[in-house]
Amino acid sequence: MRAISWIFISMVGLLLISGLTKTVGGSASAEKDEEYAEDEDYTEGDDDDSPDSSAPKGIPKTTSVNSNLQVDEETKVELPCHGEHLEQFVIFWKRGDDLLASNALTTTDDKRFNISWPPGRQGGKGNSLVIHDVSGKDNGEYRCTLQLGNSNTSFTVTHTLLVREKPRVYTNPTKVVKENDSATLVCNASANPEPKVYWKRKGKNLPTGESVFEGARYTIPYLSRNHAGMYECYATNAMGTAMTAMNLHVMHAPVVQIERTSVNSGLGRKAQLVCVVLAEPKANVTWYKDGERITPPIRDPEWPAHIWKLQLDAVTKSHYGNYVCAAYNSYGRDEKIIQLSGAPSQPLLRGHKLGDDHTSYSLIWELDSASKVDGFKMRWRKVEDGAEWVEVDIADGVASESDKYTVTQTIRELGPSADYEVTLLAHNEHGWSVPAEVRSFHINGEFQSISAEEANAKDASGSTWTSSSSHLALMAALILPMVRWQ
C-alpha cells in the first residue's frame, strides 16, 4: 500500500513539472515575439541572419578582414567589424591598450568616435567604429575583438589606419646671433607622405649663394650684418605646401656711412649734414664739431630710423669746419667726418657710358655750390707703374640750375684692354672742392667690382650704392636717386 502511494506522488510531481516547463517556455517565446514586433526592420527569417552557404546555419563567424587603410585628413573613416550570428558576442574596440567602445557604448571622451550598426538586426551582424575629421594623430592599429561571454571563443579583426595630411612646419620666429659667428636655421615639418623641406631668403639669394637650399637644417658658416633678414621654410607634398618664416637678427657694431665727405653752403643759407647708421642693437648717435659735442635737434618721426641729419638753418662763418657723426652700441663704435665749407661740395659720379667706338668713355658728375663755380678740373690716368695724372681744365659740358651743377665729360683715344682712374674737382670763391672719389674703369666699359659690404648697403627702397672705394660706403640712394646713363 505504501509503495502504491509513492508511485502516485511521483506521477503527480512529474505532471506539475511538465506544466511549469510549458508555461515558462511559452512566456519566453511570447517575450521574443513581442521584442521582434518592436523591430520595424524584422521579418520572418531574420533570426537566421542569412548565413552564407559555406557555413552551417547558426554558426557565428566574421565577414570583415584585416586591412590597411589610407585616407585624407579631415574626412570620415569607417572601420568594419561585421559577421553573422553574433548575438551572444560582446564587441570591443581598442587602439593599443585603450578601450574605445564596448558594443554600442563608446568609452572615449573624443566625440569624433561613434559606433555604427549594419542594416538588419543590431548586434547580430557586428558593428563599425566611425572616426570623424581624422588627422595624423589617429594613425595606428584599431582592433575589434568579439568575445562570447567568459568563454575562450573570440574573433579579432585589425585595421591599420594611415592618414594623408598636408605639411605643417614649425620654426622659431626669431633668431639672434653675433656677427662672425655661425648660425643654423632649423625647420621642423610633419606630413604624410613625408614632405620635401627647403629654405629660401625673402627677396635675395641665400648667403651661401644659392636661391634655394633643400633640407630642414640650413647653416650659415660665417655671418655678416648683411645676412640679417627674413628666411622662409617651405614643406611640400602631394597634399599641399606650407610655409613659415624666421627673422634673423645679426648683432654687430655700428657702421656709419655718408654720401659726401664735404657739403657746400653759402652764408645765411641752410645746410644739412646726413649720415646713415647701421647697427644691431640700435646705436646711440652723437654729432661733434671740432671736437665739441652738439646737442642734436629733435628728430623728424618721418625719417627712417637709420638716417641721422644735422640741420643748420642759417650758416655763418663759425659753422664752417669738420663735423663728426659718431655711433656706438655694446658691440663697438664707428664715426665719419663731413666737412662743411663754402667751397663746392664733393662731386658725385652719377653715370658712366662706354663709347660706341670702344675707345672713349663718358662720365657724369653732380655737385652743389652756393657761390658760382668758376672752374673745373678732371684728372685721369692709365693704371700702370709710374703713370702720371693728366689734368684737363673743363670749359664745356657744364650745366647748372640754381646751386646744382652737372658736369659731363668724355675721355677719348683710350687704349684697348686697359684700366683707368678718374676724378673731378670744382672751384669757387671759397676755394677748391674735395676731389671726387677716384673711380676705376676698364675699357670694356665696366667699373671694377664692388665689395660685398658695399653691394648690400641698401636703403629702405632697395636702392644700392655702387662704390669702388673700400673705405667710403656711399649712401646717395637714400637722399638722391642714382642715375644710370645707358
Side-chain angles (χ1 to χ4, degrees):
M1 185 69 175
R2 183 175 298 175
I4 294 173
S5 298
W6 278 109
I7 293 171
F8 177 78
I9 292 170
S10 298
M11 292 179 64
V12 170
L14 288 172
L15 289 172
L16 290 173
I17 292 171
S18 176
L20 179 62
T21 301
K22 288 182 179 180
T23 300
V24 173
S27 175
S29 176
E31 289 178 2
K32 185 172 183 180
D33 291 342
E34 181 180 352
E35 179 184 353
Y36 281 14
E38 292 175 357
D39 187 345
E40 296 179 358
D41 296 331
Y42 175 75
T43 57
E44 191 70 26
D46 272 2
D47 291 359
D48 297 335
D49 281 336
S50 303
D52 64 37
S53 58
S54 63
K57 182 176 182 180
I59 297 177
K61 68 171 184 176
T62 58
T63 56
S64 296
V65 296
N66 298 339
S67 68
N68 293 303
L69 301 175
Q70 290 196 39
V71 297
D72 292 344
E73 64 179 342
E74 300 176 357
T75 60
K76 181 183 77 172
V77 64
E78 186 169 330
L79 309 179
C81 186
H82 295 165
E84 302 289 350
H85 307 294
L86 304 176
E87 290 86 350
Q88 304 302 318
F89 285 75
V90 179
I91 305 175
F92 299 100
W93 278 100
K94 285 187 175 184
R95 182 185 180 190
D97 294 330
D98 296 331
L99 180 64
L100 302 176
S102 175
N103 273 1
L105 177 66
T106 54
T107 58
T108 176
D109 293 331
D110 194 332
K111 302 303 181 184
R112 298 177 304 123
F113 288 77
N114 67 272
I115 296 298
S116 172
W117 300 92
R121 188 158 171 72
Q122 179 170 308
K125 295 185 178 179
N127 62 26
S128 295
L129 179 66
V130 180
I131 311 173
H132 300 266
D133 194 25
V134 295
S135 66
K137 69 179 182 180
D138 298 318
N139 290 337
E141 285 189 354
Y142 293 81
R143 187 173 66 256
C144 162
T145 300
L146 299 100
Q147 181 73 39
L148 179 60
N150 293 323
S151 71
N152 294 325
T153 303
S154 65
F155 304 102
T156 299
V157 178
T158 301
H159 299 289
T160 302
L161 179 63
L162 187 61
V163 179
R164 292 184 292 263
E165 56 184 346
K166 294 175 287 188
R168 290 167 176 81
V169 287
Y170 316 91
T171 190
N172 291 327
T174 302
K175 189 176 184 68
V176 179
V177 290
K178 293 190 298 184
E179 191 171 32
N180 301 328
D181 285 354
S182 65
T184 298
L185 313 186
V186 180
C187 180
N188 298 309
S190 63
N192 177 55
E194 183 177 353
K196 173 183 174 183
V197 180
Y198 56 94
W199 282 95
K200 297 177 71 175
R201 187 180 182 189
K202 188 173 182 178
K204 301 178 182 178
N205 281 344
L206 293 166
T208 46
E210 62 268 60
S211 59
V212 177
F213 173 82
E214 186 173 342
R217 299 172 64 88
Y218 174 66
T219 298
I220 307 170
Y222 188 79
L223 283 164
S224 81
R225 61 183 176 84
N226 301 314
H227 297 153
M230 196 66 69
Y231 291 77
E232 299 170 334
C233 173
Y234 293 83
T236 183
N237 66 5
M239 298 293 292
T241 299
M243 185 274 283
T244 188
M246 174 189 289
N247 194 1
L248 179 64
H249 295 268
V250 180
M251 302 292 103
H252 65 90
V255 177
V256 179
Q257 300 172 332
I258 58 176
E259 179 190 14
R260 287 185 169 100
T261 59
S262 71
V263 172
N264 165 266
S265 183
L267 297 176
R269 299 211 177 189
K270 291 183 178 181
Q272 183 173 261
L273 310 182
V274 180
C275 71
V276 176
V277 178
L278 306 176
E280 185 77 31
K282 184 179 178 181
N284 295 306
V285 178
T286 305
W287 286 94
Y288 297 88
K289 179 184 183 293
D290 298 330
E292 294 185 4
R293 181 173 178 171
I294 302 172
T295 302
I298 298 174
R299 283 183 55 81
D300 187 332
E302 294 185 358
W303 296 350
H306 56 289
I307 296 180
W308 293 81
K309 301 179 183 181
L310 182 62
Q311 184 79 36
L312 304 175
D313 292 330
V315 172
T316 65
K317 287 185 178 180
S318 65
H319 286 132
Y320 291 143
N322 291 327
Y323 291 78
V324 176
C325 176
Y328 68 91
N329 65 11
S330 57
Y331 289 90
R333 186 179 189 278
D334 191 25
E335 64 180 38
K336 287 292 186 294
I337 299 174
I338 303 175
Q339 182 188 62
L340 176 64
S341 75
S345 65
Q346 182 186 29
L348 296 178
L349 184 66
R350 293 306 194 193
H352 51 87
K353 178 183 178 182
L354 177 67
D356 293 337
D357 57 3
H358 287 257
T359 62
S360 63
Y361 209 87
S362 297
L363 306 105
I364 299 176
W365 288 272
E366 290 181 354
L367 59 99
D368 299 326
S369 179
S371 301
K372 182 179 179 180
V373 176
D374 52 26
F376 294 92
K377 289 183 182 293
M378 181 176 67
R379 296 172 180 168
W380 67 274
R381 68 176 180 175
K382 187 176 182 180
V383 180
E384 59 183 20
D385 293 339
E388 297 290 335
W389 285 96
V390 177
E391 187 169 281
V392 179
D393 291 321
I394 296 174
D396 299 323
V398 178
S400 64
E401 181 177 350
S402 185
D403 295 343
K404 298 188 179 297
Y405 289 78
T406 302
V407 180
T408 304
Q409 290 295 299
T410 299
I411 307 173
R412 304 184 184 280
E413 298 181 3
L414 299 173
S417 300
D419 294 305
Y420 294 86
E421 293 178 331
V422 60
T423 186
L424 182 77
L425 300 91
H427 183 273
N428 66 12
E429 60 180 347
H430 297 280
W432 285 100
S433 69
V434 173
E437 287 190 46
V438 174
R439 291 304 184 99
S440 301
F441 65 92
H442 191 73
I443 193 57
N444 66 11
E446 297 297 330
F447 277 96
Q448 68 183 36
S449 61
I450 61 176
S451 68
E453 178 181 90
E454 292 164 333
N456 285 281
K458 301 278 189 178
D459 69 354
S461 65
S463 301
T464 305
W465 276 93
T466 54
S467 170
S468 61
S469 168
S470 62
H471 64 280
L472 289 177
L474 300 185
M475 295 295 289
L478 292 166
I479 301 102
L480 296 172
M482 182 69 177
V483 178
R484 188 72 171 180
W485 184 22
Q486 298 291 351

